[in-house]
């Protein structure tokens, strides 16, 4: 079982909170979280709906394993139609809010309509009500969190909220939970803001039970925890360095996008790496990293908790940033650092704090600023547009100023809040936008890691590493090493990773577990917890079903094979240095085979046979 | 040999595996709100601290209970609540200086750490050995060893 079998349906227009049974026939096909939430979304909205209109729906979904001791099973996802991409959006977050929603007795919360004035949802087990948020609107994530804890006099309340950037219409705003964990990508926070929904505050004391076979489950969980502890990446690398363990590795293989993808290696990478976070600073003798931290139930604990050196120019006279908070993950360090050419660790930590404080996706923020920097250097935009900011690559001060403006939706920050695609279009240089389907690239240059090019081009939520992390195979050799510079076999590799990831997400697990686990380690945990037949094969088929469902949504929204593409820079301009020197991404060698393996037409449309086979 | 729980907050990552293990052992459900061990997150300090009953020798919860519902387990030394005897008066929750014995609304009784009869589930579940179950008379052993190591550093 494992599901609570309850869905909380919140109609913001009518201000109603209604309990309804989870559709178990869908749970049997889509498992939970990403898959099940996407099924609900696809059934409930017109794929062509304006993402920021009341007709869009926003779903917060847990997985069947969320809230159990299965390691890393603390995840939840926010599923909606993205205002950044126009595709289906599904942003996954850790922290503690997912388990709290589950402990309150809900598998998912569905928000529909739009509140006439700002509200927040308060949930205490079965009790759910919409309360006025007029005093909350305009507050940052951190201030909203404090206000809600004080208001309800409950230190154990778990909170997910949007910041000021979302309220101001920034198109890449996420939803922050537990102060510094983020459902970060694709502008899911912007959708929340469009519904006048400021926050979700949850207290759950019912617990998570309904485990089908508790004895088998605890045995499978124990075996899983041991594998994570024994594997080098999950047992040593990630706890010590976090995802930042990758900074030097990816730079060395020449896949570190730098200065808006003009270069593939960053000379300052070492200064902003996971290793650097352990080096005592000159300014105060302390390290940037205070400790590692876990999301709920996670025995890896890759999270970074950092401080900025007292007296650092970014936090002078700003005591709110003097304490410890969520530090740099690799993606943030790359986007805010390498992509803008800035290599001051504490500056990046400060901008990362801003991203948490006001709910900005650091990948999109950094990438969009990088695109703006390139246009500034080319003279396409000048200080007239930026409000006097000299927006040059490598300028830490410019990065800080622009990030502060974007957080509050002021000045040139409003331009940045458009995201890279719209910004570059606005100034007549669309080719400088490093995006797919309108979403900014993450931290792997597909000229140096060929499979990632196909991953980006075909990702159902636009450029993204979390939809098929073939870096794991191409660089880290997990589960088998493949040549990052070769295209042969990559179509099959990408498909396998995409399907497996969809299943992992939908169970409520973290994709980082797959650095140590294969589907053979995950299946026994799902099978022991959930009714139904869950094997390696059925999980992979579930993943494939989810992938096709998302694809169908996007096709119905108006996307075509022409959108499964990469920016010209990655297809025409060769990498200048490193192992991939002289190479471009050879997407055209992989994409047709990929369509074929997926059972899609050469126009990227799932055939009737494929849809029937998968019961989409 | 009597053992006691040893907690080293600097090793804690805040994952709450201990709370899950505790609630599952005692209540048969994964429910942090029912756990007798709690992990506290001190966000601005970037620290986590698990906390639970230390099994005081002179246990004020036990001394103050008007119906003698709290007894000493002779093997483990744990002060255990006899649920059938507890009347839910909550006097022990006032008497405990550390707040580690608490009332449960659904049962109408109090609950506290009982060392799981000598095999604490929290210690087994902890992935970083922030919680261990060690010789009660040698709980400072590892810290002594660490400091001893410092003392020979310059020899």
């Amino acid at each position: 079982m494992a599901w609570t079998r309850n869905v909380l349906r919140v109609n913001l227009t009518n201000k109603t909170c209604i309990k309804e049974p989870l559709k178990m026939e869908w749970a049997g096909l889509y498992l939970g979280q990403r898959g099940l939430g996407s099924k609900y979304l696809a059934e409930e909205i017109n794929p062509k709906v304006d993402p920021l209109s009341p007709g869009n729906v926003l779903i917060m979904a847990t997985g069947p394993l969320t809230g159990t001791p299965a390691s890393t099973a603390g995840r939840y996802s926010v599923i909606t139609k993205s205002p950044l991409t126009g595709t289906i959006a599904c942003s996954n977050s850790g922290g503690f809010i997912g388990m709290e929603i589950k402990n309150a007795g809900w598998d998912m919360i569905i928000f529909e309509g739009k509140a006439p004035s700002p509200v927040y949802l308060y949930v205490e087990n079965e009790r759910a009500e919409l309360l006025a948020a007029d005093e909350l609107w305009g507050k940052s994530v951190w201030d909203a969190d404090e206000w809600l804890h004080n208001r309800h006099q409950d230190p154990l309340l778990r909170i997910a909220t949007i910041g000021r950037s979302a309220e101001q219409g920034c198109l890449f705003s996420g939803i922050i939970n537990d102060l510094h964990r983020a459902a970060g990508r694709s502008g899911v926070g912007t959708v929340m803001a469009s519904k006048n929904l400021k926050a979700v505050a949850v207290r759950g004391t019912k617990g998570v039970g309904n485990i089908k076979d508790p004895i088998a489950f605890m045995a499978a969980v124990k075996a899983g925890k041991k594998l994570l502890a024994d594997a080098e990446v999950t047992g040593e690398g990630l706890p010590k360095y976090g995802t930042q363990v990758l900074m030097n590795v990816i730079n060395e293989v020449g896949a570190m996008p730098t200065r808006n993808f003009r270069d593939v290696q960053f000379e300052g990478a070492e200064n902003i790496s996971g290793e650097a976070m352990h080096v005592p600073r000159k300014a105060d003798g302390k390290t940037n990293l205070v400790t590692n931290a876990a999301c709920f139930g996670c025995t890896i604990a890759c999270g970074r908790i950092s401080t900025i050196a007292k007296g650092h120019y970014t936090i002078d006279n700003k005591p709110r940033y003097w304490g410890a908070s969520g530090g740099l993950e690799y993606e943030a360090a790359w986007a805010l650092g390498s992509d803008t050419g800035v290599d001051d660790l504490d500056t990046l930590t400060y901008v990362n704090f801003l991203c948490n404080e006001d709910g900005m996706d650091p990948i999109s923020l950094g990438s969009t600023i990088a695109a703006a920097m390139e246009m500034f250097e080319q003279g396409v935009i000048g200080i007239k547009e930026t409000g006097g900011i000299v927006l040059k690559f490598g300028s830490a001060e410019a990065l800080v100023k622009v990030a502060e403006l974007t957080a509050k939706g002021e000045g040139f920050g409003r331009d940045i809040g458009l995201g890279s695609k719209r910004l570059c279009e606005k100034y007549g240089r669309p080719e400088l936008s490093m995006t797919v389907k309108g979403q900014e690239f993450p931290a792997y240059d597909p000229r140096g890691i060929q499979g990632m090019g196909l991953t980006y081009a075909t990702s159902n939520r636009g450029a993204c590493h979390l939809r098929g992390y073939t870096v794991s195979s191409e660089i880290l050799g997990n589960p088998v090493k493949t040549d990052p510079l070769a295209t042969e076999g990559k179509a099959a590799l990408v498909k396998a990773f995409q399907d497996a990831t969809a299943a992992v997400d939908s169970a409520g697990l973290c994709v980082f577990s797959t650095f140590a686990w294969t589907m053979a380690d995950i299946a026994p945990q799902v099978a022991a917890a959930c009714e139904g037949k869950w094997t390696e094969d059925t999980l992979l088929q579930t993943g494939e079903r989810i992938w096709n469902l998302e694809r169908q949504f996007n096709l119905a929204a108006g996307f075509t094979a022409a959108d499964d593409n990469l920016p010209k820079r990655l297809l025409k301009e060769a990498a200048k240095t490193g192992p991939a020197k002289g190479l471009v991404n050879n997407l055209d060698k992989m994409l047709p085979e990929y369509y074929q393996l997926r059972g899609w037409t050469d126009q990227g449309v799932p055939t009737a046979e494929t849809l029937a086979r998968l019961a989409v | 040999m009597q053992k006691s729980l040893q907690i080293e907050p600097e090793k804690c990552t805040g994952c709450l595996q201990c709370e899950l293990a505790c609630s599952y052992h005692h209540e048969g459900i994964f429910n942090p709100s029912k756990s007798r061990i709690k992990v506290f997150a001190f966000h601005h300090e970037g620290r986590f601290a698990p906390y639970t009953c230390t099994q005081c020798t002179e246990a004020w919860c036990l001394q103050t209970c008007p119906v003698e519902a709290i007894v000493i387990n002779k093997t483990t030394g744990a002060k255990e609540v006899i649920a059938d005897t507890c009347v839910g008066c909550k006097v022990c929750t006032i008497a405990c200086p550390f707040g580690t014995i608490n009332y449960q609304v659904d049962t109408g009784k109090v609950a506290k750490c009982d060392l799981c009869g000598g095999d604490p589930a929290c210690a087994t579940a902890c992935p970083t050995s922030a919680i261990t179950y060690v010789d009660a008379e040698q709980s400072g052993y590892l810290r002594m060893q660490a400091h001893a190591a410092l003392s020979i550093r310059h020899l």
Side-chain angles (χ1 to χ4, degrees), chain B residues 64-70 85-87:
Chain B
T64 197
C65 177
V67 295
E68 297 185 1
I70 301 178
T85 311
C86 174
V87 294

Side-chain angles (χ1 to χ4, degrees), chain A residues 541-607:
Chain A
Q541 196 186 43
T542 300
E544 189 178 3
R545 180 178 300 122
I546 293 163
W547 193 265
N548 279 273
L549 175 86
E550 293 169 341
R551 178 77 178 182
Q552 288 288 85
F553 181 96
N554 290 345
L555 292 172
F559 288 87
T560 68
D563 299 300
D564 296 340
N565 211 342
L566 296 173
K568 268 195 194 129
R569 172 165 283 176
L570 305 175
L571 300 173
K572 303 286 184 202
E573 295 176 27
K576 294 174 195 156
T577 61
K581 188 176 176 180
L583 292 182
V584 295
N585 184 271
N586 294 307
L587 179 65
D588 57 343
K589 290 190 181 149
M590 301 180 280
L591 192 60
E593 186 190 355
Y594 172 86
Y595 283 168
Q596 205 175 17
L597 288 171
R598 278 251 169 251
W600 297 354
T601 68
D602 58 3
Q603 288 307 301
V605 178
T607 62

Side-chain angles (χ1 to χ4, degrees), chain A residues 51-281:
Chain A
L52 298 180
S53 72
N56 196 2
V57 159
L58 183 138
I59 300 173
M60 294 183 168
T62 67
L65 296 186
T66 306
T68 74
S71 188
T72 80
R75 316 291 300 184
Y76 93 116
S77 271
V78 180
I79 300 112
T80 187
K81 182 177 173 180
S82 163
L84 184 71
T85 63
T87 66
I88 195 167
C90 172
S91 292
N92 186 306
S93 180
F96 298 83
I97 189 81
M99 93 58 192
E100 201 73 29
I101 291 172
K102 194 82 177 280
N103 270 271
W106 306 102
D107 288 316
M108 56 173 82
I109 306 174
I110 301 176
F111 295 97
E112 50 190 33
K114 177 184 179 175
S117 61
V119 293
Y120 69 96
L121 177 70
Y122 177 73
V123 178
E124 187 190 327
N125 296 333
E126 293 91 350
R127 180 181 157 205
E129 55 185 326
L130 290 167
L131 300 172
D134 302 289
E135 282 180 69
L136 265 183
W137 204 258
K139 285 191 190 301
S140 73
V141 167
W142 295 356
D143 288 341
D145 189 280
E146 188 179 351
W147 189 92
L148 285 163
H149 277 110
N150 288 337
R151 166 74 185 272
H152 291 277
Q153 290 291 300
D154 186 352
L156 294 172
L157 208 56
R158 304 282 186 187
I159 290 159
T161 182
I162 53 167
R164 289 170 291 189
S165 71
E167 295 174 10
Q168 293 298 325
C170 168
L171 289 173
F172 49 80
S173 293
I175 302 168
I176 307 291
N177 57 281
D178 304 289
L179 294 173
H180 62 96
R181 306 302 316 187
R185 300 224 72 190
S186 310
V188 297
T190 318
V191 174
M192 190 159 151
S194 77
K195 297 189 170 302
N196 266 333
L197 177 64
K198 177 70 180 179
V200 178
V202 188
R203 179 75 191 284
T205 61
K206 296 172 74 167
V208 175
N210 293 339
I211 300 297
K212 186 175 79 177
D213 182 346
I215 292 171
F217 181 66
M218 292 307 276
V221 164
K222 190 178 169 188
K225 283 166 69 175
K226 186 167 185 328
L227 285 170
L228 293 174
D230 292 346
E232 201 182 329
V233 176
T234 49
E236 292 172 35
L238 284 173
K240 182 160 187 193
Y241 298 114
T243 52
Q244 275 272 66
V245 70
L246 289 163
M247 179 65 73
N248 288 323
V249 175
I250 301 299
N251 197 44
E252 271 169 37
V253 300
M256 171 71 65
T258 302
R259 289 175 283 268
N260 203 33
F261 288 72
R262 286 200 313 216
D263 299 300
V264 296
Q265 289 181 307
F266 181 44
E267 63 285 354
E270 204 179 332
N271 299 335
I272 59 170
S273 66
E275 288 83 349
M277 292 168 76
H278 281 275
V279 176
R281 293 179 286 234

